Amino acid sequence: MATGEVALGKPAGAAAESLAASQPSTTKKVVNDFSIQVATVNGSGSQSANSVLLKSIFSMGIPVSGKNLFPSNIAGLPTWYTIRASKHGYVARKKEIDVLVAMNPETGREDMLSLPAGSAAIYDQSLNLKQYRQDVTSYPVPFDQLTAAVCPEAKLRKLVKNMVYVGVVAQLIGIDLQSAETSVRRQFARKPKAADLNWNAVKAGYEYAAQSLVKADPFFLEPMQATEGKIIIDGNSAAALGAMFAGVTVVTWYPITPSSSVVENLIGYLRKYRVDQDGKATFAVVQAEDELAAVGMVLGAGWAGARSMTATSGPGISLMAEFVGLGYYAELPGVIFDIQRVGPSTGMPTRTMQGDLLSVAYLSHGDTKHVFLLPASVEECYQFAIEAFDLAEQLQTPVFVLSDLDLGMNNWMSKPFEYPTKPINRGKVLTKEDLDRLGGFARYKDVDGDAIPYRTLPGTDHPRAAYFTRGSGHNEKGLYTERADEYQEVMERLARKFDTARGMVPAPELVQNGKSKVGLIAFGSSDFAVRESRDQLKKEHGLETDYLRLRAFPFSREVLEFVAAHDRIYVIEQNRDAQMLSLLKLDLPVKELSKLRSVRYFGGMPLDARTVTDGLVLQEGI
Amino acid sequence: MATTLEAPKTPAPKTNRLGLQAVDYRGAKTTLCAGCGHNAISERIIDAMYEMGVKPERVLKLSGIGCSSKSPTYFLGRAHGFNSVHGRMPSVATGALLANSSMLGIGVSGDGDTASIGLGQFAHLMRRNLPLIYIIEDNGVYGLTKGQFSATADVGSKLKTGVINELPAINTCAMAVDLGATFVGRSFSGDKKQLLSMLKAAIAHNGTVMLDVISPCVTFNDHEGSTKSYKYVQEHEDSIGEVGFVPFFDDISVDYDPGTTYDVQMHDGSHLKLRKLHEGYDPTNRIGAVKALMEAEERGEILTGVFYIDAKRPSFIDSLNLAPEPLATLPQDRVRPPRRVLDEIMQAHL
């Protein structure tokens, strides 16, 4: 019989043997504050099992997050899923693994060796991983036997086996069976047969663990009340929802990881909620031949008055460069979601990074600069999607939403999204009646002093409505020009328009006490790790920090005020070259620049708090 | 229309069925070379729009980059125009027509813009059958960069500098037929009658119209040894069938002999009448169209006329099943689902 070979000084069961002399005998129960990592093979169907685990913990009221660390591959390469339960509500990746479920023979040894002392490992008994670590609690499980007993159909066993580990984990860490069953039934809501099969597998694992394993690790879950009324959703679905409620009408795309699910989810929502009673669609979706065509369609549609968007990632951004310059210069609205992944070039397509900041900020040749928004949660993926469509039309320019793989493809807890309170803002569009009154208009003239001109939509029934849109030199009437003064007039207004944008984009979020000398600046998915790191810095080093979370480019004046009010500013970001720091340097007065320091991580894993804390402590010399 | 109290001294100007004069269809003064074929094409576009009674405000005119792509400025000044980036007009046109499918789209491209840098977008445009009149102003050379060969230059054609083209020409018409365009033809900027009939039929068509119009470049490709010169085209043109057109608003029943003339009823009720010059040629047969084009190429002849037409295949807009009103101007209550939809979705994620 298999036993739980414990890392605790005091065996929890008679059959357990203590093998970890290094462990203190007083190891306490660790409740609702640990991580689980499931190591499997890509294509083995572990996604449902991991989702059941995540949602079971969530339905116990415990704050939880899940991250899929997957390869760029259809089947066969190693993949990991990490789940973090945190009573404190920390949802960033935890660097250390506490409970390992090793299902992949190929990586079993390495997975085992990477564990910290005192952790626990569940594995197929044939792998005999115990041999590699004496300071880890080992739980060997005869997965194939257990699976065969509940799944007569041999070809389904590969999938069902995953549910067996769900049962084993549930019993060992204390997921209540009711939560688990609810999650399984919801996961397979449309397939009752599959639900029964999978539920039997969970039970088999659970019963095996109850009868044959002796709990000897310190990790336990206990019900809380912290997730009531919360939702679980991924950032790409959230962005898709935002786009739908923003009233998107033309959607174009070229599939690319990790952005594809933005449009795939959006198509699902649009087909369900944006078809008239007579079956007619109030939207058009086009899968384009490449990203150049995708963004060309977005700009053509925006020009003709649609709310248009595309979603892409780094390589697509590079391809869109020429068109985005046209969008900037000809002043065409459009929304581009960039779900960032690791570059340069093809890079690591299934790993996360904040590496497109500089290329997006100044995308295209000549003098160009672009507005981008930086969501840091699924809720902001939703809100900023709505915001981006309003800004694109108000500013008449392409607007980017810079999310990333971690935010976009992983599941996050959130409070439910709020229905938009503001009406859709279509910006400065002149109608036939306006033209009757005005007699005509100049497309690129600054009438209101905010550097934002007026436009007309094609089809406006007035002989003076038309103007010519071009990427070649043009004057304020839109006429072709090669005259220096006329060209400069338009370009200078575009620069002023960018300044107008500073006051229109989402302002930064500030957390400060007014006393701290150290300020942190971060953005996007780094926010989760930075918030946790601030607690670590305070608790472990007595260092109080203020925090400014950037939410958009161009920077609003709060950024300068924050930098000016602190002695040292740490800019925390997920790329090699400190791209956000560079953007800040270009924007801040020279006297502030010496304050700026950098904490960077660019390994492609979601950022964790320990990495931030370590990087900062080193530079602070504390 | 403006009225005056004084009696008109001259007879009332000629107007079309909308009461508009030809001058209402004009654009800015051309900046292309005198004698450039492209200017003649702009003139025919003006004539066709005027004669068909298309309201200029209902037209989208689009182009890429190059001499040809400058020309939308020179016709229909009362229509919104868009001079986009090199070879990528199809995508801009696609977006614009999705945003407002009630508009008539006309795209002007060149042989460099279409057959080299823009070949990918060209192919996918044809494939989608977007309702767009796509005109290639085809002169076989790059003009604005001063006379390099384009990909439609024929094998053996000679540049002014004496350089001989050794690569086969891309046959844009055969490609368009193969890829799914539903109206494919070739004309010559010097053939007023044929080009005008084809443009009028193009306006009546619901789907992608691909017209390759040979349009000699008087500056860089009109010399001895060129296969895209006025002289060469006049000497080597072979019409596959005379093109006649009877618009839906002309209540004329024209007699024709089905043995000698093909009659195609267009989407809007107009009739395209193709007089058979090549024995047994069937303009609704894709295979025959491609075969005729390739055979003419082998013979060293420039085949003109309407090669292929399918007036029935649904357009890209039809297949998307769009609401009849322009997407661009749908009111908020049509595009922002109500609060209960968000509540329902949130409930599903609890």
Side-chain angles (χ1 to χ4, degrees):
Chain A
M1 271 288 100
T3 55
E5 282 132 338
V6 298
L8 293 174
K10 198 174 173 188
E17 35 178 332
S18 171
L19 294 162
S22 61
Q23 278 299 107
S25 60
T26 53
T27 303
K28 280 193 209 146
K29 258 174 101 171
V30 178
V31 179
N32 297 350
D33 191 12
F34 59 93
S35 67
I36 304 165
Q37 176 147 306
V38 182
T40 53
V41 178
N42 203 30
S44 65
S46 57
Q47 198 82 303
S48 309
N50 297 330
S51 177
V52 166
L53 267 181
L54 180 82
K55 287 182 178 162
S56 302
I57 298 170
F58 177 75
S59 68
M60 288 174 74
I62 306 161
V64 65
S65 60
K67 291 189 190 299
N68 194 10
L69 312 170
F70 60 107
S72 179
N73 159 260
I74 303 301
L77 288 183
T79 181
W80 296 268
Y81 192 79
T82 70
I83 294 170
R84 179 179 188 183
S86 168
K87 61 186 168 202
H88 308 292
Y90 296 139
V91 291
R93 185 172 70 94
K94 187 168 179 282
K95 206 172 183 180
E96 310 78 22
I97 304 302
D98 298 309
V99 178
L100 169 72
V101 182
M103 302 298 286
N104 183 358
E106 220 175 291
T107 62
R109 182 172 172 273
E110 201 190 329
D111 290 331
M112 192 71 172
L113 288 173
S114 69
L115 291 175
S119 54
I122 297 158
Y123 53 84
D124 193 279
Q125 64 180 23
S126 66
L127 298 180
N128 190 21
L129 295 182
K130 191 182 80 178
Q131 58 180 312
Y132 304 116
R133 290 293 291 271
Q134 304 302 304
D135 56 348
V136 168
T137 308
S138 293
Y139 299 107
V141 177
F143 280 109
D144 289 332
Q145 256 172 274
L146 294 171
T147 309
V150 294
C151 184
E153 237 180 295
K155 66 173 182 181
L156 291 178
R157 283 181 196 154
K158 187 176 93 169
L159 299 173
V160 171
K161 189 172 161 181
N162 297 309
M163 286 295 169
V164 179
Y165 75 64
V166 172
V168 173
V169 172
Q171 200 280 333
L172 283 172
I173 65 174
I175 292 175
D176 64 68
L177 268 180
Q178 206 195 329
S179 295
E181 181 166 11
T182 309
S183 303
V184 172
R185 303 263 174 224
R186 280 187 78 161
Q187 185 75 30
F188 299 99
R190 288 191 199 141
K191 302 175 197 160
K193 257 186 159 172
D196 288 341
L197 180 63
N198 281 284
W199 173 235
N200 285 336
V202 173
K203 276 195 297 187
Y206 194 93
E207 280 157 19
Y208 174 80
Q211 282 164 22
S212 311
L213 299 178
V214 177
K215 172 76 173 178
D217 66 73
F219 305 108
F220 290 90
L221 293 179
E222 285 172 10
M224 287 174 70
Q225 303 279 316
T227 65
E228 212 170 317
K230 295 252 170 79
I231 57 164
I232 286 192
I233 194 169
D234 60 280
N236 285 352
S237 295
L241 274 178
M244 176 168 75
F245 285 96
V248 69
T249 45
V250 174
V251 182
T252 70
W253 65 309
Y254 187 78
I256 180 170
T257 303
S259 75
S260 304
S261 59
V262 173
V263 178
E264 284 166 338
N265 285 309
L266 181 54
I267 292 170
Y269 292 135
L270 293 172
R271 284 192 180 147
K272 194 160 174 199
Y273 300 112
R274 285 278 299 278
V275 174
D276 287 344
Q277 281 177 340
D278 58 359
K280 296 286 184 183
T282 59
F283 64 90
V285 181
V286 187
Q287 185 181 324
E289 53 270 37
D290 53 30
E291 287 89 344
L292 291 82
V295 76
M297 290 175 198
V298 165
L299 296 178
W303 170 69
R307 297 210 127 187
S308 57
M309 64 164 274
T310 185
T312 189
S313 192
I317 292 292
S318 295
L319 287 173
M320 291 176 185
E322 186 191 25
F323 254 129
V324 169
L326 172 72
Y328 171 80
Y329 189 37
E331 303 184 61
L332 309 168
V335 175
I336 302 165
F337 290 88
D338 175 11
I339 316 301
Q340 298 167 95
R341 67 187 213 186
V342 172
S345 190
T346 305
M348 298 196 282
T350 59
R351 299 284 186 253
T352 194
M353 185 172 259
Q354 298 174 321
D356 297 348
L357 307 172
L358 282 173
S359 53
V360 166
Y362 300 111
L363 194 64
S364 206
H365 54 276
D367 287 321
T368 58
K369 36 192 173 180
H370 310 290
V371 173
F372 61 72
L373 309 185
L374 296 162
S377 62
V378 288
E379 199 182 4
E380 282 189 345
C381 287
Y382 166 78
Q383 285 170 352
F384 287 5
I386 299 174
E387 191 83 15
F389 283 93
D390 280 350
L391 283 170
E393 289 201 299
Q394 285 177 275
L395 288 163
Q396 299 173 27
T397 198
V399 170
F400 293 81
V401 181
L402 294 193
S403 174
D404 62 31
L405 184 142
D406 184 21
L407 201 51
M409 287 190 76
N410 285 318
N411 276 312
W412 301 88
M413 277 191 338
S414 171
K415 64 178 205 278
F417 304 155
E418 281 170 21
Y419 192 74
T421 49
K422 288 188 294 181
I424 287 172
N425 189 331
R426 311 281 333 244
K428 298 182 185 179
V429 178
L430 296 175
T431 61
K432 174 187 187 310
E433 292 69 33
D434 294 328
L435 292 166
D436 279 340
R437 185 166 44 83
L438 297 165
F441 84 114
R443 169 66 182 98
Y444 296 114
K445 190 177 167 69
D446 181 7
V447 178
D448 301 329
D450 58 1
I452 303 171
Y454 284 83
R455 64 178 181 141
T456 55
L457 302 185
T460 305
D461 190 17
H462 193 283
R464 305 292 292 273
Y467 65 95
F468 209 90
T469 300
R470 59 178 95 240
S472 45
H474 49 267
N475 62 18
E476 63 176 24
K477 289 178 180 156
L479 300 175
Y480 183 88
T481 190
E482 294 181 15
R483 280 179 53 156
D485 57 342
E486 289 187 336
Y487 164 79
Q488 282 176 211
E489 185 179 33
V490 170
M491 287 300 286
E492 276 162 5
R493 182 183 51 74
L494 281 168
R496 292 202 306 280
K497 186 168 86 166
F498 204 65
D499 277 331
T500 300
R502 290 176 192 269
M504 292 170 71
V505 298
E509 187 187 69
L510 275 164
V511 189
Q512 57 187 351
N513 59 22
K515 280 176 271 175
S516 181
K517 301 234 177 307
V518 176
L520 312 184
I521 292 181
F523 56 94
S525 67
S526 306
D527 180 52
F528 308 105
V530 171
R531 279 194 272 169
E532 187 179 346
S533 170
R534 289 183 67 235
D535 290 349
Q536 290 176 347
L537 288 166
K538 189 175 167 183
K539 215 161 107 188
E540 298 167 13
H541 303 277
L543 179 66
E544 296 252 16
T545 56
D546 289 341
Y547 176 32
L548 178 141
R549 182 166 67 82
L550 294 166
R551 301 206 301 167
F553 179 77
F555 307 121
S556 41
R557 71 183 155 72
E558 290 92 334
V559 179
L560 170 59
E561 289 165 6
F562 183 79
V563 174
H566 293 85
D567 291 349
R568 294 181 298 286
I569 296 287
Y570 289 90
V571 183
I572 300 149
E573 54 189 313
Q574 300 173 52
N575 57 65
R576 186 193 67 182
D577 290 346
Q579 297 189 23
M580 186 59 86
L581 185 86
S582 304
L583 288 175
L584 286 164
K585 277 183 177 169
L586 290 169
D587 208 58
L588 291 166
V590 175
K591 67 180 167 70
E592 304 292 348
L593 299 188
S594 62
K595 292 176 176 176
L596 300 178
R597 301 180 179 193
S598 172
V599 176
R600 302 183 298 281
Y601 168 77
F602 62 98
M605 290 290 158
L607 187 63
D608 65 277
R610 185 54 59 194
T611 298
V612 177
T613 302
D614 289 352
L616 215 137
V617 163
L618 194 72
Q619 293 183 67
E620 278 290 295
I622 49 176
Chain B
M1 298 289 306
T3 52
T4 58
L5 295 172
E6 292 163 46
K9 290 187 177 89
T10 47
K14 217 178 133 193
T15 57
N16 65 7
R17 66 191 180 100
L18 298 181
L20 294 174
Q21 301 173 34
V23 70
D24 295 318
Y25 290 82
R26 304 211 72 85
K29 191 172 173 291
T30 180
T31 60
L32 299 171
C33 307
C36 174
H38 302 355
N39 290 331
I41 299 172
S42 294
E43 292 294 331
R44 296 299 82 73
I45 292 171
I46 290 168
D47 294 346
M49 294 287 179
Y50 169 79
E51 289 181 24
M52 287 294 282
V54 177
K55 198 169 190 188
E57 288 82 3
R58 303 303 309 160
V59 177
L60 296 177
K61 39 179 198 174
L62 303 113
S63 62
I65 292 291
C67 289
S68 60
S69 295
K70 284 172 174 264
S71 63
T73 312
Y74 316 135
F75 59 82
L76 265 61
R78 281 166 54 175
H80 274 74
F82 196 136
N83 185 193
S84 68
V85 292
H86 202 13
R88 325 254 180 239
M89 174 265 281
S91 61
V92 176
T94 305
L97 287 165
L98 290 175
N100 191 342
S101 59
S102 72
M103 302 295 283
L104 173 67
I106 179 162
V108 180
S109 181
D111 37 301
D113 199 59
T114 291
S116 289
I117 192 167
L119 199 60
Q121 293 211 350
F122 172 75
H124 288 271
L125 176 75
M126 298 301 125
R127 199 178 153 234
R128 293 192 182 104
N129 196 30
L130 181 82
L132 176 75
I133 303 167
Y134 187 97
I135 296 170
I136 307 174
E137 298 186 340
D138 188 355
N139 56 20
V141 284
Y142 288 84
L144 281 177
T145 52
K146 305 207 181 295
Q148 302 81 3
F149 277 127
S150 82
T152 64
D154 298 299
V155 173
S157 185
K158 192 164 79 177
L159 283 185
K160 269 179 144 177
T161 54
V163 177
I164 306 280
N165 177 43
E166 287 171 354
L167 293 175
I170 289 180
N171 191 327
T172 53
C173 290
M175 261 190 95
V177 172
D178 179 30
L179 289 164
T182 47
F183 186 138
V184 179
R186 184 182 288 133
S187 189
F188 173 41
S189 64
D191 188 339
K192 279 189 187 183
K193 192 164 163 267
Q194 184 196 48
L195 181 54
L196 181 59
S197 293
M198 278 166 69
L199 284 169
K200 288 201 279 190
I203 291 168
H205 185 66
N206 177 40
T208 300
V209 179
M210 207 300 280
L211 297 183
D212 176 37
V213 185
I214 310 294
S215 174
C217 172
V218 289
T219 304
F220 296 109
N221 208 12
D222 198 29
H223 49 271
E224 191 67 34
S226 160
T227 60
K228 294 267 194 295
S229 64
Y230 279 108
K231 187 162 173 272
Y232 188 92
V233 177
Q234 274 151 4
E235 284 169 2
H236 293 80
E237 185 183 351
D238 175 21
S239 173
I240 198 145
E242 260 174 41
V243 184
F245 180 76
V246 183
F248 68 92
F249 51 84
D250 271 6
D251 194 21
I252 308 164
S253 62
V254 184
D255 285 335
Y256 68 94
D257 173 5
T260 59
T261 305
Y262 240 100
D263 179 77
V264 185
Q265 179 161 354
M266 310 288 292
H267 181 72
D268 68 351
S270 302
H271 285 261
L272 177 63
K273 296 186 181 296
L274 304 169
R275 218 184 109 213
K276 301 171 185 173
L277 295 183
H278 280 221
E279 204 176 332
Y281 188 77
D282 175 359
T284 63
N285 181 337
R286 292 173 70 223
I287 299 166
V290 174
K291 187 164 173 272
L293 282 160
M294 298 215 158
E295 283 170 354
E297 204 173 271
E298 301 253 299
R299 292 195 305 271
E301 282 172 347
I302 301 164
L303 205 59
T304 64
V306 174
F307 307 129
Y308 178 69
I309 183 156
D310 177 354
K312 300 237 161 59
R313 190 186 141 195
S315 75
F316 190 49
I317 301 293
D318 299 331
S319 65
L320 288 170
N321 201 22
L322 300 185
E325 310 91 331
L327 295 180
T329 46
L330 289 174
Q332 177 167 316
D333 63 356
R334 296 280 299 282
V335 297
R336 173 173 285 171
R339 185 182 294 269
R340 65 172 167 73
V341 167
L342 183 64
D343 292 344
E344 180 185 318
I345 296 166
M346 290 297 101
Q347 199 62 35
H349 281 90
L350 278 177

